[in-house]
Amino acid sequence: MFPLTKVKSSGCKVLIDKLYSGPNYAYELARSYERIGEAEKRVLRLKISGSVGTMASWGDKGFIIERTMEKELGLQAHLITTQVAPRDGFAELVSIIAILSSQLDRLALELRELSRSEIGEVYESMQRGGSSAMSHKRNPVIAERISGLARIARGFVIPALKNIPLMHERDLTNSSSERILLPHLFLLIDQVLMDTIAPKRGQSR
């Protein structure tokens, strides 16, 4: 995980070991793993039932076409759709990723606290310059970045929830926000995960 260096007594080594393998963190992250797996069947769905969801333009061939596309793409179709597929699945996914980022933020916050000058039990071992104002300091910039990005992830939840209600079942206000929301969220959680499992970026001693 974080590249850390021990700077105090052997008691700190025990603390670091607990941070790395503590059942509390493992339990929380395992729950997020389960959430992501369970959400797949509600998020990755097929929607090809026409502009208002009735398959009217296909006549009696609608369900045949839908089943053919299900087989071709390996996806199940939504049982009921309107002009758009239901957005609750995307809202669920955004919420799950926000929870995951918050769990990793909790770990990052613990490491930031332990690296404060008055505590000084651990610090990130990446070789870098210190604070711009105080060059002797070793700021936990990786942990701070995780915490900062987690705040953005949590902020994405409200727009995702607001995308669920659509005016007359055909309002496309969700489209413009999702074009920003979804790709940025995945880029964000990718960075948070890379920062959390970043032993190659620094050396543990």
Side-chain angles (χ1 to χ4, degrees):
M1 300 179 78
F2 297 90
L4 297 177
T5 298
K6 183 182 75 165
V7 296
K8 279 196 172 181
S9 65
S10 59
C12 179
K13 177 63 165 60
V14 175
L15 179 57
I16 293 175
D17 288 343
K18 288 182 178 179
L19 285 175
Y20 276 179
S21 59
N24 198 336
Y25 290 104
Y27 176 57
E28 284 189 0
L29 294 173
R31 286 157 61 87
S32 275
Y33 183 80
E34 289 176 357
R35 289 187 191 101
I36 292 171
E38 291 167 356
E40 180 179 1
K41 62 186 177 183
R42 290 183 289 275
V43 178
L44 296 180
R45 285 272 186 163
L46 181 67
K47 193 274 182 188
I48 57 167
S49 53
S51 57
V52 293
T54 62
M55 302 184 185
S57 60
W58 294 338
D60 60 357
K61 300 293 191 294
F63 287 108
I64 297 174
I65 295 171
E66 186 177 72
R67 285 193 294 270
T68 301
M69 293 307 299
E70 282 182 329
K71 184 177 180 180
E72 183 72 20
L73 298 176
L75 295 174
Q76 286 188 323
H78 280 288
L79 297 179
I80 300 174
T81 61
T82 58
Q83 179 171 331
V84 297
R87 311 326 278 178
D88 61 295
F90 289 118
E92 179 184 8
L93 178 62
V94 172
S95 300
I96 289 171
I97 293 178
I99 291 171
L100 173 58
S101 66
S102 295
Q103 292 168 332
L104 298 174
D105 180 19
R106 189 169 81 87
L107 174 58
L109 179 61
E110 178 72 8
L111 298 176
R112 288 166 56 202
E113 288 285 346
L114 294 176
S115 64
R116 285 163 47 193
S117 299
E118 60 269 34
I119 299 176
E121 291 187 339
V122 296
Y123 60 87
E124 293 177 5
S125 62
M126 272 187 75
Q127 298 301 315
R128 65 168 71 90
S131 166
S132 59
M134 291 171 280
S135 58
H136 62 283
K137 289 182 64 181
R138 299 188 66 169
N139 294 332
V141 296
I142 296 177
E144 288 176 343
R145 182 165 61 204
I146 290 172
S147 294
L149 292 176
R151 295 175 185 175
I152 303 300
R154 290 190 287 269
F156 282 158
V157 174
I158 297 301
L161 292 173
K162 287 185 175 181
N163 283 338
I164 295 176
L166 300 175
M167 187 179 296
H168 299 300
E169 308 298 342
R170 58 177 291 121
D171 174 11
L172 292 180
T173 52
N174 65 291
S175 178
S176 55
S177 62
E178 287 172 353
R179 290 170 194 267
I180 298 172
L181 169 66
L182 294 176
H184 279 76
L185 181 65
F186 283 109
L187 289 171
L188 183 155
I189 194 62
D190 182 62
Q191 183 66 58
V192 169
L193 289 168
M194 285 197 307
D195 283 343
T196 303
I197 52 172
K200 293 183 180 179
R201 298 188 179 191
Q203 293 253 338
S204 298
R205 295 185 223 159

